Amino acid sequence: MKDTDIKRLLYTHLLCIFSIILSVFIPSFFLENFSILETHLTWLCICSGFVTAINLVLYLVVKPNASSKRSSLSHKVTRFLKCCIYFLMSCFTFHIVFVLYGAPLIELVLETFLFAVILSTFTTIPCLCLLGPNLKAWLRVFSRNGVTSIWENSLQITTISSFAGAWLGALPIPLDWERPWQITIERKCTCRSVYVPCMGLGTITQ
């Protein structure tokens, strides 16, 4: 049983990676001048949609936490609406955290919010798919020694890694001052300011 779960888990992660790759190439066939760097906001929306769709399909097919009880249609609808509310709350919570860590409050609101959406896609969506809108189960999985299956262990690792990646991903940004993907907020004489999200650095000046 454990070997089967490991194989299913491996295929799940590979398909998620494949969905990210598809979100890079497929839109170019339908959208003119599509590029990750030039149309990065559009790509963030598409990537979030691809990853969310793949997660939903995979967990519906694999059903790692399948329940023997049959639930009514009203229960399923209520559960789905709760998941949507939890996802939106996650997006707004991350957005507020990013602002508290130095993101502009008024400027670049869309960029900050989409960053919150993509982070919620890699953290909250898998939790909702595996555990549902059950806060007690969330607290159990992310507490010390609260994992009871390989799926929950993977969920714990991938969620923490996503947060760590979002944090560490801002480290090399100040090293690429002249690159076109850098967002310049203020340019006065020889002073330049670059928006660095989620590091607590706010605006870095060189």
Side-chain angles (χ1 to χ4, degrees):
M1 186 65 181
K2 188 175 181 181
D3 293 337
T4 304
D5 286 338
I6 291 176
K7 290 181 180 179
R8 289 180 178 179
L9 191 59
L10 176 62
Y11 294 149
T12 300
H13 286 298
L14 289 177
L15 285 174
C16 286
I17 295 173
F18 184 65
S19 67
I20 298 174
I21 297 174
L22 288 179
S23 69
V24 176
F25 295 102
I26 289 182
S28 60
F29 294 103
F30 303 97
L31 301 175
E32 294 183 0
N33 301 323
F34 176 79
S35 172
I36 295 181
L37 300 181
E38 297 178 1
T39 57
H40 57 283
L41 298 182
T42 303
W43 178 75
L44 285 176
C45 296
I46 296 173
C47 181
S48 178
F50 270 69
V51 174
T52 301
I54 290 295
N55 272 284
L56 290 175
V57 171
L58 286 175
Y59 281 102
L60 285 174
V61 173
V62 177
K63 295 181 180 179
N65 281 347
S67 176
S68 58
K69 297 180 180 179
R70 288 189 177 182
S71 56
S72 61
L73 179 61
S74 60
H75 176 74
K76 292 180 179 179
V77 172
T78 303
R79 184 182 176 91
F80 175 75
L81 292 176
K82 282 185 178 180
C83 289
C84 293
I85 293 173
Y86 278 35
F87 178 73
L88 290 176
M89 290 175 60
S90 172
C91 293
F92 286 112
T93 301
F94 285 149
H95 183 92
I96 293 172
V97 170
F98 297 155
V99 171
L100 293 177
Y101 268 82
L105 179 62
I106 299 176
E107 298 177 346
L108 306 175
V109 174
L110 183 59
E111 285 83 348
T112 305
F113 183 73
L114 287 180
F115 179 56
V117 170
I118 198 69
L119 186 57
S120 296
T121 301
F122 286 102
T123 56
T124 307
I125 290 294
C127 292
L128 291 172
C129 291
L130 184 63
L131 306 174
N134 187 350
L135 291 180
K136 290 183 178 179
W138 290 33
L139 292 175
R140 175 182 59 79
V141 170
F142 292 101
S143 63
R144 188 175 182 179
N145 299 326
V147 175
T148 59
S149 68
I150 190 173
W151 289 91
E152 293 179 354
N153 189 29
S154 172
L155 181 66
Q156 189 182 65
I157 294 173
T158 53
T159 302
I160 295 174
S161 298
S162 296
F163 285 123
W167 181 278
L168 296 175
L171 284 175
I173 290 179
L175 305 178
D176 299 328
W177 297 106
E178 299 299 335
R179 299 300 180 181
W181 55 78
Q182 296 295 358
I183 304 173
T184 303
I185 297 177
E186 183 181 1
R187 188 181 295 270
K188 293 182 180 180
C189 299
T190 59
C191 178
R192 290 173 297 181
S193 302
V194 176
Y195 162 48
V196 179
C198 76
M199 278 197 64
L201 299 178
T203 303
I204 294 181
T205 305
Q206 184 186 38

